[in-house]
Amino acid sequence: MGLLSEGSPLSWEETKSYADHVRKHGVKQFINQYRKLKDRQKDVLYWGDEVEYMLIRFDHEKEVVQLLLKSTELLSSLQKQNLESKANAQILWHPEYAQYMVEGTPGSPFGCLMAHLNLVEANMKLRRESIGKLLKTGERIASITAFPRVGCSNFTYPSYKPNPTPSGCSSSLFFPDEAIHSSHPRFKTLTRNVRLRRKEKVAINIPIFKDKNTMSPFLEDLSIYGDNGESQNAAKPDHIYMDAMGFGMGCCCLQLTFQACNIGEARLLYDHLAPICPIMMALSAATPIYRGYLADTDCRWSVIVQSVDDRTREERGLEPLKHDRFLINKSRYDSIDSYLSEEGRCYNDLQLVYDKEIYEELMAEGIDDLLSQHIAHLFIRDPISLFEEKINQNDSTDTDHFENIQSTNWQSLRFKPPPPGSNIGWRVEFRPMEIQLSDFENAAYVVFIVLVTRAILTFKLNLLIPISKVDENMVTAQQNNAARLGKFYFRKDILTVNSPPEAAECVGCCERIDEKYTLMTINEIINGKEDFPGLVPMVNKYLDYIECDVDTRCTVLQYLKLISKRASGELLTMAQWTRQFVTNHEDYKNDSVVSDKINYDFLMECDKIAYGEHDCPQLFFKYHSRTRDNIPAAVSKAEANLNRKIYAS
Ligand code: ADP
Ligand code: MG
Ligand code: MG
Ligand code: MG
Ligand code: MG
Ligand code: MG
């Protein structure tokens, strides 16, 4: 989660009363920035990843593992270290939603040289090491997407009782407010305000994996947790029910941001990466367990979508619109709804909900319809938190009101305008991936996407399919074993560029769009087949084309091998491996329940694999890590010469 202003948060009623003010000035701020920066050219590729970690604590005597609520303390030590030692400036630490989470990014983005691809894995290792030094016996960091027993009794250390009454932030039956990050008021404020705006608790229902001894229908008696009936009403049969933002925002994920040479390139990459989102989500799938139950899905996405859905009943279409302004098809956290480039125009087949007045204002400024619609679409949302100190801003130099709305539209991709007063260019953030156990895997997924963007630009690949089909793929991607079994809509011919329509009105180019795509497996999309080149072969073609140096090629080869073998099914996804671990565990009773003991054994095994003490041939092969020691001298030199001033917060 982006971290904005610090200060005194306003109550929900006050925040709501400023909603129009924030939107009005937010749009003005965007317009002012756009005017200044629309013609900005010749920015180079910079890119950086974000890895979110969970802090966990093993009690080896009791054979129990809990989430460790220690991020405030750790972050202040890490930030102090950063001030004291130059080496630590290689990492930036950020608070995240939960008190058991921290986020680590490189100290400054990686640069445009291919050799920089060698650096990311070593940087990720350094992150683990610098946190590791601050932990006590039994305390560990894990890069796992969801803690299997989140929301079960005593799932945190120290342990707290949830507060289901309206005085709590989440009012959850399962997730105590103490598990929300506390050193910054943003997270608790967001939690409370999502609930107050929605006028009920969030309701998360995920299909349970029905095993032969699973209660059927599966429906829990929630009164034992202190439910007043609201939860029982919201819980669906045969689903795992959850009722707090923490179940979603308390998941970890893997993101990356890269800078485009200008706004046009950023819009193009944003569009062509959209169809890649569900593919990479399925390939990175890592979350088959919630609240101690095996789910019938493999990814976190639907949980997080439901966990911050602040739409009212009117906005969700359950009641006629009376007090609210729009019928809204999606949560604030979800996949994108429209393409931004001219090439994408004809593939925008979702009816976009947007604020007409804001749209007109942007159009009157000479901003084209696609970008105007995009911004006017983001701005259907209310600000969900606001700080008293930030109400009044200078619209020509500040962008806090714009960022307030922008950064609480948590979509699969984010189009990021340059921040004011920086030398940063137009960027795109890729957000759908789940986190992997080891640095090697996380580096592989990140480097693969960086290279896909290079292949898209170099070969002018066209990956577009109707945006509604991307949404269908997002659903498929989350299904049990989608990486191996799922069929995804994908463009048949990615090598022929579409000529974009000449006018804003389509001139017949939208015809025959349905002939342009077909259903493919992930293996076909990633590795290719007779009549489809495949993304890994395209990346290899790119590496040939640029005559990539041998060192980098060796590093990248291993990363591509991992992606390729996960896609072919030769290697398992984290989600499938997790399922196997649980169902093969001697304590598993075929009842979908993941007990404390199973959880403990599972996370012990994860820890050993992540730190290289155990092999896991189902997940990956024997690889050679790029550590600090074996980074070629030329690469280190290139790194040292990076312009350290370039950094976006
Ligand atoms: P957010 O949480 O808003 O996504 P973060 O600051 O956590 O943002 O992460 C941003 C990522 O973008 C980091 O990996 C950082 O290294 C990278 N980054 C920073 N500046 C640039 C830039 N100019 N171009 C590309 N990437 C950048
Ligand atoms: Mg984050
Ligand atoms: Mg971040
Ligand atoms: Mg940030
Ligand atoms: Mg991010
Ligand atoms: Mg949207």
Side-chain angles (χ1 to χ4, degrees):
M1 267 160 89
L3 192 63
L4 291 170
S5 354
E6 299 209 26
S8 336
L10 298 180
S11 73
W12 168 241
E13 283 311 319
E14 290 166 317
T15 304
K16 194 170 167 54
S17 73
Y18 283 108
D20 284 328
H21 170 88
V22 169
R23 277 190 290 262
K24 184 173 144 216
H25 290 279
V27 167
K28 293 239 153 32
Q29 293 171 0
F30 175 77
I31 290 171
N32 288 335
Q33 286 302 306
Y34 178 83
R35 272 200 207 127
K36 278 186 231 166
L37 297 162
K38 67 182 181 351
D39 296 322
R40 189 186 160 105
Q41 295 292 340
K42 291 191 187 159
D43 284 309
V44 295
L45 169 67
Y46 281 109
W47 58 277
D49 66 285
E50 294 164 68
V51 176
E52 292 168 351
Y53 301 91
M54 277 187 196
L55 304 163
I56 57 179
R57 181 179 183 276
F58 290 100
D59 183 332
H60 297 301
E61 228 160 81
K62 296 197 182 124
E63 299 196 307
V64 164
V65 58
Q66 291 161 302
L67 286 165
L68 176 65
L69 305 183
K70 208 178 175 178
S71 69
T72 299
E73 184 189 327
L74 279 180
L75 283 166
S76 74
S77 308
L78 288 164
Q79 272 141 13
K80 211 156 91 203
Q81 269 187 7
N82 269 16
L83 295 177
E84 284 160 8
S85 137
K86 262 214 171 126
N88 287 305
Q90 292 170 38
I91 308 165
L92 280 176
W93 293 104
H94 316 261
E96 253 304 331
Y97 179 81
Q99 186 66 355
Y100 54 78
M101 286 166 94
V102 288
E103 180 186 293
T105 63
S108 51
F110 303 109
C112 55
L113 299 179
M114 276 306 114
H116 289 127
L117 297 175
N118 293 299
L119 298 171
V120 60
E121 190 180 342
N123 190 277
M124 288 173 177
K125 279 196 189 314
L126 199 63
R127 290 177 220 173
R128 269 184 212 272
E129 281 164 24
S130 50
I131 287 217
K133 279 184 208 148
L134 301 171
L135 297 176
K136 298 189 192 137
T137 319
E139 301 179 348
R140 306 290 287 170
I141 59 161
S143 48
I144 52 168
T145 303
F147 184 77
R149 284 180 59 82
V150 62
C152 298
S153 70
N154 299 323
F155 76 100
T156 63
Y157 181 88
S159 167
Y160 293 96
K161 291 242 171 321
N163 172 6
T165 72
S167 69
C169 295
S170 310
S171 302
S172 168
L173 308 180
F174 316 107
F175 197 94
D177 289 340
E178 287 84 353
I180 304 172
H181 186 85
S182 61
S183 76
H184 193 289
R186 168 176 166 84
F187 303 104
K188 284 189 179 164
T189 309
L190 283 172
T191 309
R192 184 185 298 278
N193 290 354
V194 161
R195 180 171 59 79
L196 292 175
R197 187 181 189 289
R198 182 181 162 99
K199 302 193 180 90
E200 38 187 79
K201 285 197 295 187
V202 294
I204 306 162
N205 282 287
I206 295 296
I208 193 165
F209 170 74
K210 293 278 282 267
D211 208 341
K212 57 175 194 271
N213 297 330
T214 310
M215 180 204 323
S216 195
F218 176 82
L219 197 56
E220 296 168 286
D221 174 8
L222 298 171
S223 66
I224 60 168
Y225 300 104
D227 177 35
N228 60 5
E230 179 182 353
S231 287
Q232 202 72 58
N233 234 351
K236 293 186 189 165
D238 287 335
H239 285 68
I240 305 165
Y241 167 77
M242 293 164 275
D243 64 347
M245 189 161 165
F247 285 103
M249 284 303 201
C251 289
C252 295
C253 69
L254 177 64
Q255 301 177 331
L256 73 145
T257 296
F258 47 88
Q259 179 167 283
C261 69
N262 58 30
I263 185 173
E265 186 181 288
R267 294 171 69 161
L268 198 85
L269 284 174
Y270 179 92
D271 287 3
H272 291 281
L273 284 174
I276 307 273
C277 288
I279 309 306
M280 292 313 290
M281 189 160 75
L283 258 189
S284 62
T287 34
I289 309 170
Y290 303 94
R291 256 193 72 222
Y293 295 111
L294 274 175
D296 203 24
T297 52
D298 274 2
C299 299
R300 78 198 187 290
W301 193 260
S302 168
V303 174
I304 200 164
V305 162
Q306 298 175 71
S307 81
V308 288
D309 190 352
D310 71 344
R311 291 172 301 162
T312 62
R313 293 180 66 80
E314 293 181 16
E315 288 168 333
R316 280 179 281 147
L318 301 174
E319 285 170 17
L321 275 181
K322 255 197 258 153
H323 310 281
D324 293 314
R325 302 187 303 152
F326 305 104
L327 186 63
I328 304 178
N329 57 329
K330 286 180 187 172
S331 162
R332 305 175 81 105
Y333 202 119
D334 213 324
S335 48
I336 63 162
D337 284 303
S338 71
Y339 291 118
L340 297 182
S341 71
E342 275 307 321
E343 268 185 58
R345 179 180 294 280
C346 290
Y347 298 86
N348 277 336
D349 64 338
L350 285 179
Q351 206 178 359
L352 199 67
V353 189
Y354 61 94
D355 185 312
K356 301 277 178 322
E357 253 173 61
I358 290 178
Y359 173 76
E360 293 304 335
E361 185 182 349
L362 292 159
M363 290 290 283
E365 284 295 329
I367 301 176
D368 61 278
D369 59 334
L370 291 174
L371 187 55
S372 297
Q373 271 182 21
H374 169 72
I375 301 294
H377 167 64
L378 300 182
F379 274 69
I380 59 175
R381 309 290 172 174
D382 280 344
I384 201 72
S385 83
L386 183 62
F387 294 90
E388 196 182 319
E389 296 80 356
K390 292 286 174 178
I391 297 172
N392 295 311
Q393 298 177 18
N394 178 345
D395 291 340
S396 55
T397 51
D398 294 333
T399 53
D400 261 63
H401 286 321
F402 170 72
E403 286 296 336
N404 186 326
I405 303 292
Q406 155 100 336
S407 75
T408 52
N409 268 275
W410 295 284
Q411 299 183 338
S412 46
L413 292 163
R414 188 175 285 160
F415 177 67
K416 291 175 162 176
S422 74
N423 55 354
I424 295 166
W426 294 87
R427 291 151 304 149
V428 176
E429 184 182 10
F430 188 77
R431 304 164 47 86
M433 291 193 287
E434 311 228 314
I435 200 90
Q436 309 297 299
L437 262 192
S438 65
D439 302 319
F440 169 72
E441 295 162 276
N442 286 316
Y445 280 80
V446 165
V447 164
F448 176 63
I449 292 301
V450 174
L451 288 170
V452 166
T453 68
R454 297 310 95 183
I456 290 171
L457 294 174
T458 305
F459 303 124
K460 301 200 168 27
L461 299 186
N462 183 351
L463 303 174
L464 302 180
I465 58 172
I467 198 109
S468 65
K469 294 290 170 205
V470 176
D471 272 359
E472 286 182 44
N473 286 349
M474 290 294 281
V475 176
T476 307
Q478 300 176 57
Q479 288 166 1
N480 186 342
N481 213 0
R484 210 178 265 196
L485 306 177
K487 292 264 200 174
F488 294 82
Y489 295 103
F490 214 77
R491 193 176 176 93
K492 288 188 221 167
D493 176 8
I494 61 174
L495 300 174
T496 312
V497 183
N498 244 19
S499 48
E502 277 152 27
E505 292 303 310
C506 174
V507 286
C509 47
C510 292
E511 286 161 32
R512 300 199 310 277
I513 271 188
D514 286 338
E515 294 166 18
K516 301 215 188 292
Y517 59 89
T518 185
L519 284 168
M520 294 188 209
T521 61
I522 297 250
N523 185 32
E524 291 166 342
I525 294 167
I526 296 289
N527 293 317
K529 54 175 181 160
E530 324 81 79
D531 56 351
F532 184 79
L535 297 177
V536 163
M538 286 313 294
V539 164
N540 272 318
K541 195 171 152 197
Y542 168 74
L543 295 168
D544 290 341
Y545 174 82
I546 59 162
E547 298 180 5
C548 177
D549 66 280
V550 177
D551 269 309
T552 308
R553 193 80 195 235
C554 287
T555 309
V556 170
L557 192 77
Q558 302 187 79
Y559 296 159
L560 295 180
K561 191 167 141 189
L562 179 76
I563 300 293
S564 175
K565 284 181 187 282
R566 288 258 167 100
S568 72
E570 201 178 314
L571 294 174
L572 298 181
T573 59
M574 177 67 189
Q576 288 298 309
W577 178 75
T578 303
R579 279 181 196 286
Q580 290 191 0
F581 186 95
V582 171
T583 52
N584 292 332
H585 194 284
E586 55 182 15
D587 283 8
Y588 179 65
K589 301 195 178 63
N590 294 93
D591 55 357
S592 318
V593 174
V594 180
S595 65
D596 262 327
K597 168 74 168 126
I598 299 175
N599 191 37
Y600 170 83
D601 288 342
F602 170 67
L603 285 166
M604 280 297 284
E605 185 61 18
C606 288
D607 188 67
K608 296 212 165 77
I609 295 168
Y611 287 87
E613 289 162 33
H614 277 186
D615 288 339
C616 187
Q618 298 98 323
L619 279 179
F620 42 76
F621 43 85
K622 275 207 179 301
Y623 56 86
H624 299 282
S625 261
R626 276 292 174 205
T627 57
R628 304 297 305 172
D629 316 331
N630 65 14
I631 287 177
V635 177
S636 310
K637 217 165 164 184
E639 185 195 18
N641 288 338
L642 264 181
N643 183 350
R644 290 286 161 200
K645 275 182 292 192
I646 298 184
Y647 181 69
S649 69

